[in-house]
Amino acid sequence: MGADLICYIAIGPKRINLTDRKVNQVARQVREYLDGCIAAAERLMLGQKDVPAPRKGPVGAKRSITFRLASSTPGDIPSFSSVEDLRSHPEYQDLVRRILADCNGEVESGYVFGKTHEDLAREVRDFVACWNNGCFRDMSYRVDPLHPRRKVVVAGELSWGDEPEGAGYQMFKKAFGLTIAQRLGVT
């Protein structure tokens, strides 16, 4: 057994140009997405089988969250008869986070509650600064030789199985989990 490189490999525009309008648009879309994730988890706890996929628009390729929610919900999560009962439960937020955390990292469950529009706008700006400047020790990039207007970015570290702690890796994890990267043309 040996160490493995655990990383994100992303492809996107060479430089992301960002205006305040675009920042606000992406932050609003991310908040709508997170609210959709909450609604999907709530419907699952209410016993409804037709859980809507919260991913829309430029991230339509990742519609597997509905299946993941329905197939991976732990048996120890209680069922509720009404939305009022569910939302008044003392562990409501923890239950939603547990369901979303079981989606194999597709949802950054720690950010579902408590993120304001300003917090999300800051996350968008931080990701774009990271993408444009390549400012972390665990991150490297090269211009795509087949498409000179795009670049390939790798962020990660050698690991014995633990998740990398590097700032670049964590930035990509958060950006993909919140769908910020996808909404800015990074895949």
Side-chain angles (χ1 to χ4, degrees):
M1 293 194 349
D4 294 314
L5 176 63
I6 299 176
C7 66
Y8 277 93
I9 300 174
I11 300 173
K14 204 169 169 180
R15 183 163 187 78
I16 298 174
N17 296 318
L18 204 58
T19 62
D20 286 341
R21 181 175 170 214
K22 181 69 174 175
V23 168
N24 289 326
Q25 176 188 11
V26 171
R28 181 181 44 76
Q29 289 172 343
V30 169
R31 183 68 259 164
E32 289 170 1
Y33 161 71
L34 294 174
D35 291 343
C37 290
I38 293 168
E42 285 178 345
R43 289 184 68 160
L44 200 66
M45 286 188 281
L46 291 170
Q48 298 173 0
K49 300 289 183 198
D50 57 334
V51 179
R55 295 187 184 259
K56 297 177 183 165
V59 292
K62 290 184 129 184
R63 295 192 183 277
S64 59
I65 187 170
T66 300
F67 174 74
R68 288 187 197 279
L69 280 174
S71 65
S72 68
T73 304
D76 61 335
I77 291 190
S79 295
F80 296 90
S81 58
S82 72
V83 174
E84 293 78 25
D85 290 344
L86 171 63
R87 291 183 181 162
S88 65
H89 191 276
E91 296 178 8
Y92 164 70
Q93 290 186 1
D94 289 334
L95 292 171
V96 170
R97 281 189 191 103
R98 280 180 47 208
I99 288 174
L100 295 176
D102 286 338
C103 292
N104 292 339
E106 289 217 15
V107 180
E108 193 64 27
S109 60
Y111 293 90
V112 172
F113 295 102
K115 283 292 184 180
T116 65
H117 179 79
E118 292 77 24
D119 295 333
L120 294 171
R122 186 173 43 256
E123 297 292 349
V124 171
R125 285 188 186 94
D126 289 348
F127 174 73
V128 171
C130 169
W131 182 264
N132 288 342
N133 302 324
C135 53
F136 297 117
R137 176 187 63 80
D138 65 333
M139 193 170 127
S140 177
Y141 72 91
R142 296 288 179 264
V143 174
D144 185 344
L146 299 176
H147 303 282
R149 292 184 182 182
R150 299 181 67 76
K151 69 180 177 180
V152 179
V153 178
V154 177
E157 298 174 338
L158 196 61
S159 173
W160 293 95
D162 297 332
E163 180 177 279
E165 295 176 1
Y169 180 90
Q170 293 300 322
M171 175 67 67
F172 273 86
K173 178 183 176 199
K174 188 186 321 177
F176 278 101
L178 291 173
T179 71
I180 292 170
Q182 300 93 318
R183 294 176 192 284
L184 294 172
V186 176
T187 56

